[in-house]
Amino acid sequence: MAGFKDQNFNDRRSTSADAKKALLEKFRARPASDDPEVQARLAERQKIAEARAARAAEREAAKQVEAER
């Protein structure tokens, strides 16, 4: 096992701390909610949700028409 590296407690602890630090930096680097790109994504999601709701309403209306027949 040439690739095996025996890690002691301090190695594992420092690796964990580095991972937490990287995750925190990734969180801090995200854009704010007033960023135009974020606003555009939210608007696009809203359009998709409205279209989905409209399609669901159409399907429900079609089911009611079919049930009345």
Side-chain angles (χ1 to χ4, degrees):
M1 291 188 156
F4 181 72
K5 179 182 175 188
D6 188 23
Q7 293 184 341
N8 61 21
F9 179 72
N10 289 329
D11 292 338
R12 292 193 313 265
R13 198 171 96 186
S14 66
T15 302
S16 175
D18 291 342
K20 287 179 184 178
K21 190 184 304 182
L23 190 61
L24 183 61
E25 289 301 319
K26 181 180 175 185
F27 177 76
R28 287 181 180 163
R30 71 183 179 143
S33 63
D34 61 348
D35 187 35
E37 187 176 314
V38 173
Q39 293 295 327
R41 275 193 307 234
L42 288 175
E44 184 66 27
R45 287 180 185 166
Q46 183 66 28
K47 283 191 240 178
I48 291 170
E50 290 171 358
R52 185 179 298 132
R55 289 192 307 269
E58 289 174 5
R59 282 193 303 271
E60 187 63 33
K63 284 181 185 179
Q64 287 180 356
V65 168
E66 187 64 32
E68 290 175 358
R69 286 187 179 180

